[in-house]
Amino acid sequence: MKSSAESLISRVAHVKNALHSFIYKLENECERLTWPSVLDNFALLSGQLNTINKLLRNEKTPSFRNQVIIPLLLSPDRDDELAKLTEQRVSVFSHEIVPDYLRTKPDPEVEEQEKQLSAEATRIGPEVAQKQIQALNKLCFNLLEKLNSPREDRDGESSSMRQNKPSFNPADTSALVGAVAFGKGLSKCRPPGPGAPGHPGQGPQMGSCPTLQQVTLGGASTQQGGLGGPVAPQQQGQPAMSGSTLDFGR
């Protein structure tokens, strides 16, 4: 029993050193770290964990499941000896941290989620599960193809998609051209008749459309404007504006 525990402690120490080295690289050498190096570190950790599993499954190794660890003393005060044994990771052995360090099962929330996933997996039939697996494999295969394809191919494909995608609505364009060129779709405004009496100078008004009045600026100094006020007489030195018309909105 003692030799098995010592061997297990030695294997765990190797895993701890590998983890410490990998974390140091991630924190201090992240700029120079390459993806193959990361994969090598993961492979090393995976191999060490598999070795521990094989050691635990060995027939000569006693079953550690039958061994029970009972905390004999819980204290909220700092324990220097415990801090030294745990390399300053655990300095207090109190009621708050004991359930986490001596836990033999997952958290209740995690355990409940695992039960739900297991129940959902049992409800799915083999055919439905196989279809979902095939769909997921197809999606992953297409994604890997796009990631492994050269960048020029991806850029060309994206540019062709942008060119082929229409950027306008043909129906709206036709309606706009018809309205501008032929007045298609515009409402017609018809004059109801001659202008109302008592307003000389006004032409026929157009139904609901805004009325336009025409004012001719000639040489006469007393000609009435469309706004109802006299037109200022022409001063000397100013060119005459005979024959020109201005349109004012009402």
Side-chain angles (χ1 to χ4, degrees):
M1 180 69 182
K2 184 176 180 180
S3 60
S4 299
E6 291 178 354
S7 177
L8 184 60
I9 291 173
S10 175
R11 299 290 183 181
V12 172
H14 291 320
V15 176
K16 184 190 70 173
N17 293 332
L19 281 172
H20 180 73
S21 176
F22 185 38
I23 292 173
Y24 178 82
K25 290 180 181 179
L26 291 176
E27 292 179 349
N28 300 283
E29 301 178 3
C30 58
E31 296 180 355
R32 294 176 296 174
L33 197 62
T34 60
W35 182 244
S37 177
V38 174
L39 293 179
D40 292 339
N41 284 274
F42 275 116
L44 176 61
L45 293 171
S46 177
Q48 291 176 345
L49 292 175
N50 288 330
T51 303
I52 293 177
N53 289 330
K54 290 180 180 179
L55 179 62
L56 293 174
R57 294 171 183 171
N58 194 355
E59 296 179 354
K60 297 181 180 181
T61 304
S63 179
F64 289 99
R65 293 179 180 273
N66 299 330
Q67 306 298 322
V68 180
I69 299 177
I70 301 175
L72 300 178
L73 178 62
L74 298 178
S75 175
D77 300 331
R78 176 181 173 83
D79 190 347
D80 295 333
E81 186 66 22
L82 180 63
K84 182 180 179 180
L85 291 174
T86 58
E87 297 181 354
Q88 305 299 325
R89 290 192 300 272
V90 182
S91 59
V92 177
F93 204 62
S94 61
H95 297 79
E96 183 179 358
I97 66 172
V98 163
D100 294 331
Y101 282 97
L102 300 183
R103 184 186 300 276
T104 57
K105 288 185 177 182
D107 292 337
E109 295 81 2
V110 177
E111 193 172 1
E112 185 65 26
Q113 290 180 0
E114 288 184 353
K115 290 181 180 179
Q116 293 178 1
L117 292 175
S118 300
E120 185 177 355
T122 55
R123 287 197 301 267
I124 299 177
E127 297 181 357
V128 178
Q130 189 65 27
K131 289 182 180 179
Q132 292 181 357
I133 292 173
Q134 292 177 359
L136 181 60
N137 290 336
K138 184 178 180 181
L139 180 63
C140 295
F141 179 76
N142 294 334
L143 181 59
L144 288 174
E145 278 191 345
K146 289 184 178 296
L147 292 176
N148 295 327
S149 63
R151 183 175 180 180
E152 293 78 8
D153 297 345
R154 295 197 300 268
D155 294 342
E157 184 179 356
S158 61
S159 62
S160 63
M161 290 178 62
R162 288 195 299 267
Q163 292 176 359
N164 296 332
K165 185 178 180 180
S167 58
F168 62 93
N169 190 345
D172 293 344
T173 304
S174 301
L176 182 60
V177 171
V180 174
F182 308 105
K184 185 178 180 181
L186 299 179
S187 60
K188 298 180 181 180
C189 300
R190 297 180 179 179
H199 294 79
Q202 288 187 349
Q205 297 183 354
M206 306 288 291
S208 61
C209 299
T211 59
L212 300 178
Q213 291 179 336
Q214 191 178 68
V215 178
T216 303
L217 301 179
S221 60
T222 60
Q223 186 176 1
Q224 297 288 332
L227 297 179
V231 179
Q234 180 182 355
Q235 298 180 0
Q236 294 182 359
Q238 291 183 351
M241 300 177 64
S242 59
S244 62
T245 61
L246 296 178
D247 294 336
F248 295 91
R250 188 171 184 179

